[in-house]
Amino acid sequence: MKALTWHGSGDIRCETVDDPVIQDDRDAIIKVTSCAICGSDLHLYGGFVPGMHAGDVMGHETMGEVVEVGRGNSKLKIGDRVVVPFTISCGECRQCKWGQFSLCERSNPAGAEQAKQIGYPTAGLFGYSEMYGRFPGGQAQYLRVPYADVGPIVVPDGLSDEQVLFLSDIFPTGYMAAENCDIKQGQTVAVFGCGPVGLFAIKSAFLLGAERVIAIDTVPERLALARASGAETLDYADDDLQERILAITNGLGPDAVIEAVGMESHGAGGVLETLQTKLTSTERPYALSQAILACRPGGTVSLPGVFVGPAVPAPLGAVVGKGLTLKTGQTHVQRYLEPLLNLIVEGKIDPSFLITHRIGLEEGPEAYKTFRDKADGCVKVVIRPNG
């Protein structure tokens, strides 16, 4: 089959790889009908995530048609259209039973090595380095789905791929980021970073009762989509950004802040590349520091953004001094699939609003560059690997 594979920083290739096969009775194989390039894929593309190997298949936002099912999987049948969560979760360990699927204790075959770095294992992820299990990703014609009796959700008739594809990651990620803010009716939420996750965080904040959302970015296309979603917008390049935030909130500040930037390896025009062009021994914490600064005393800072490595400096003095609550974590996608699918079915949100580019698999390497450089108005790329 054809797949997009990693071969080093800035080197994504479309090449032939082995077809996936059933390895466990709970597995399923899907023919990928749609997949997408995620902002966190750019961290891999930029070479900022250790543990990638030449030839690793990329991608973790995937859906398709079931073409083979393991003998122990009674949930799925051949022909089902399914969306696949980027988190691989067993459904049986204590974390899964608590609904904390991204913290699954069993699904990551590299869990013992991961625990040496962070103390405990967490869930395996599709297409995301040795640390998360080195599972082949879904930017391919076919995908093996482990624990397929737990993860995938069957798509009802009448919904297009583009309406449901983002249930695999960015819609639940933005929603969980907003949910972590514990939003009360009438509150104000600020969102740093108006990429796909930030845009879904904006939509979700309004769905959860926010009266105002302040969106902070500098890319015109992203800011336009944020305004179309109902947000007020600010440019992070303003030297007096904090003063601007205070001015439009009558000096009170936002009740919660979502930092949807993370490590930000998005190339020219990204928040952090404006200030620092190369990684130092610590990661680039500009947006995190700004989010902590912007949040009102007693508020919440929600971090859906990706950080990798042990050394991420943050102004903890401000966190403690202002009595802030920090909420973080990989998304517990399986927890959100059914309720968010219902929102789509009910017409309360159409997740396809941010798609700007639709391509075939062969165009993937160039699309990575376009997405990284924020060129050609690119906000979100959807790939159809099988035409």
Side-chain angles (χ1 to χ4, degrees), residues 324-365:
L324 301 181
T325 297
L326 297 183
K327 292 190 177 180
T328 69
Q330 296 278 11
T331 311
H332 308 306
V333 179
Q334 290 87 337
R335 181 199 297 175
Y336 296 100
L337 288 174
E338 187 171 341
L340 297 188
L341 177 61
N342 288 338
L343 291 179
I344 297 169
V345 171
E346 293 165 4
K348 294 181 179 179
I349 185 170
D350 180 357
S352 67
F353 76 95
L354 45 57
I355 300 171
T356 54
H357 290 64
R358 298 166 174 86
I359 64 168
L361 203 60
E362 295 77 10
E363 301 165 86

Side-chain angles (χ1 to χ4, degrees), residues 61-382:
E61 295 183 314
T62 312
M63 67 173 295
E65 179 184 339
V66 175
V67 294
E68 191 175 354
V69 180
R71 289 179 298 177
N73 187 335
S74 58
K75 175 184 175 181
L76 300 179
K77 64 182 185 299
I78 293 173
D80 283 343
R81 287 176 67 222
V82 295
V83 177
V84 180
F86 78 93
T87 47
I88 301 169
S89 309
C90 74
E92 297 173 341
C93 70
R94 59 176 183 164
Q95 293 286 356
C96 287
K97 289 179 179 177
W98 291 337
Q100 297 179 163
F101 294 97
S102 71
L103 303 179
C104 178
E105 297 169 316
R106 299 180 183 174
S107 66
N108 185 355
E113 289 301 310
Q114 185 188 39
K116 293 177 182 178
Q117 299 183 46
I118 65 172
Y120 302 87
T122 63
L125 307 178
F126 288 105
Y128 219 82
S129 85
E130 191 169 23
M131 182 177 181
Y132 292 102
R134 205 183 171 193
F135 290 94
Q139 290 170 7
Q141 291 181 303
Y142 293 87
L143 174 70
R144 170 186 167 244
V145 183
Y147 299 108
D149 53 347
V150 175
I153 187 169
V154 177
V155 178
D157 293 338
L159 294 178
S160 69
D161 278 20
E162 292 187 355
Q163 287 177 286
V164 297
L165 171 61
F166 302 139
L167 288 171
S168 60
D169 178 359
I170 55 174
F171 185 12
T173 296
Y175 191 90
M176 179 170 145
E179 185 179 72
N180 278 346
C181 292
D182 192 24
I183 298 168
K184 305 294 190 300
Q185 290 290 328
Q187 288 190 328
T188 297
V189 177
V191 177
F192 278 79
C194 297
V197 168
L199 289 167
F200 275 117
I202 292 167
K203 294 272 192 181
S204 299
F206 282 123
L207 287 169
L208 291 168
E211 180 175 325
R212 300 174 67 192
V213 176
I214 302 166
I216 301 156
D217 204 297
T218 198
V219 179
E221 293 81 8
R222 292 179 169 191
L223 291 172
L225 284 170
R227 285 190 292 271
S229 299
E232 305 161 56
T233 59
L234 294 175
D235 192 326
Y236 72 72
D238 288 346
D239 293 334
D240 58 349
L241 178 59
Q242 177 64 9
E243 287 72 21
R244 296 283 305 279
I245 293 171
L246 289 171
I248 65 173
T249 59
N250 296 317
L252 299 176
D255 300 287
V257 179
I258 297 170
E259 196 275 73
V261 177
M263 194 166 65
E264 178 68 24
S265 56
H266 296 191
V271 172
L272 301 167
E273 284 72 12
T274 304
L275 303 177
Q276 188 178 355
T277 58
K278 294 183 179 179
L279 284 170
T280 62
S281 59
T282 58
E283 291 181 337
R284 297 170 287 185
Y286 173 73
L288 174 58
S289 297
Q290 282 294 112
I292 290 169
L293 180 67
C295 191
R296 68 156 172 82
T300 298
V301 176
S302 174
L303 306 178
V306 174
F307 291 92
V308 178
V312 181
L316 289 180
V319 173
V320 175
K322 293 200 293 180
L324 301 181
T325 297
L326 297 183
K327 292 190 177 180
T328 69
Q330 296 278 11
T331 311
H332 308 306
V333 179
Q334 290 87 337
R335 181 199 297 175
Y336 296 100
L337 288 174
E338 187 171 341
L340 297 188
L341 177 61
N342 288 338
L343 291 179
I344 297 169
V345 171
E346 293 165 4
K348 294 181 179 179
I349 185 170
D350 180 357
S352 67
F353 76 95
L354 45 57
I355 300 171
T356 54
H357 290 64
R358 298 166 174 86
I359 64 168
L361 203 60
E362 295 77 10
E363 301 165 86
E366 186 62 27
Y368 262 88
K369 184 176 185 298
T370 300
F371 187 36
R372 178 198 65 190
D373 295 343
K374 302 175 178 63
D376 192 32
C378 187
V379 175
K380 189 64 177 179
V381 179
V382 170

